Amino acid sequence: MSSLAAIAVFCGSSFGTDPAYEAAARLTGRTLAERGIDVVYGGGHVGLMGAVADAAVEAGGRVIGVIPRQLDDRELAHHGLTELHVVESMHERKQLMADLSDAFIALPGGAGTLEEIAEQWTWAQLTIHAKPCGFLDVAGFWSPMRTMLTTMVESGFVRAEQSGIVSFADDLDELLTILSAPPSWTDKWGGTTDETPVP
């Protein structure tokens, strides 16, 4: 796991209806901490976000939160973290989280969670970075997304050679093993990830 010094975790600011979601969030935070991997996340103390952070902190891990000022002003920020960055916008939040991380994991969540992981997936397609994205498929939550990716490939909107940017697993250890592998996908134009894209 030495290739993964830090992982960004995207997840809901609510707990959701299935206790398995919170259990997975706490497992993720604790496991990353125990493996010496920094947790980068959205900086909140609520919902699954707070569960990830609390579990990582309790396990002695480094936890780095990034939160927009508007949300900090609403007293949603977690003030028991190793680092808390307060930024001016959601765009700055996502950019800093990407800069601080070597890979991205999506736990169950809503529109914000999906938007965050989809943006990093897109950036990898465009070779803005070469960092992998993983969906932890807790209780089948991300199964429709897995089907959607297959449909995107079959319909010609995602190159089959790029499908390795995104991984799905219902087991955290399996997902971390996949994410720790070197990038193997091509860019959007068919070149390798270290080539300059040519439209």
Side-chain angles (χ1 to χ4, degrees):
M1 290 299 172
S2 60
S3 63
L4 298 175
I7 292 179
V9 180
F10 303 126
C11 57
S13 57
S14 301
F15 285 107
T17 57
D18 191 331
Y21 303 153
E22 182 179 359
R26 293 190 178 280
L27 174 65
T28 300
R30 183 174 68 251
T31 299
L32 295 182
E34 290 173 348
R35 296 187 183 191
I37 300 172
D38 292 354
V39 175
V40 179
Y41 86 115
H45 67 81
V46 293
L48 298 187
M49 296 173 66
V52 169
D54 288 342
V57 169
E58 290 164 7
R62 281 177 44 83
V63 184
I64 302 166
V66 185
I67 193 167
R69 189 172 304 281
Q70 182 182 22
L71 297 182
D72 183 37
D73 290 343
R74 294 179 182 178
E75 299 182 350
L76 296 177
H78 194 310
H79 293 287
L81 309 176
T82 311
E83 297 176 21
L84 179 64
H85 299 268
V86 180
V87 297
E88 298 303 321
S89 69
M90 292 292 286
H91 296 293
E92 288 183 59
R93 178 198 226 178
K94 290 181 290 184
Q95 181 66 67
L96 182 54
M97 290 178 73
D99 290 344
L100 293 171
S101 304
D102 301 309
F104 310 93
I105 291 177
L107 299 178
T113 300
L114 183 58
E115 186 267 343
E116 288 169 327
I117 193 73
E119 182 162 41
Q120 298 310 323
W121 173 8
T122 302
W123 289 5
Q125 283 191 138
L126 300 175
T127 63
I128 293 171
H129 62 57
K131 301 174 182 181
C133 300
F135 290 83
L136 186 60
D137 194 13
V138 183
F141 183 87
W142 290 117
S143 294
M145 190 67 228
R146 192 191 307 236
T147 301
M148 190 70 245
L149 174 57
T150 299
T151 301
M152 289 175 179
V153 172
E154 291 176 347
S155 300
F157 292 106
V158 172
R159 292 173 59 90
E161 296 88 346
Q162 288 195 299
S163 59
I165 294 171
V166 180
S167 302
F168 296 83
D170 58 10
D171 179 81
L172 180 60
D173 288 336
E174 178 185 351
L175 187 60
L176 290 174
T177 297
I178 295 169
L179 294 178
S180 67
S184 60
W185 58 83
T186 65
D187 68 20
K188 186 174 177 64
W189 299 272
T192 60
T193 55
D194 60 357
E195 293 177 339
T196 302
V198 179

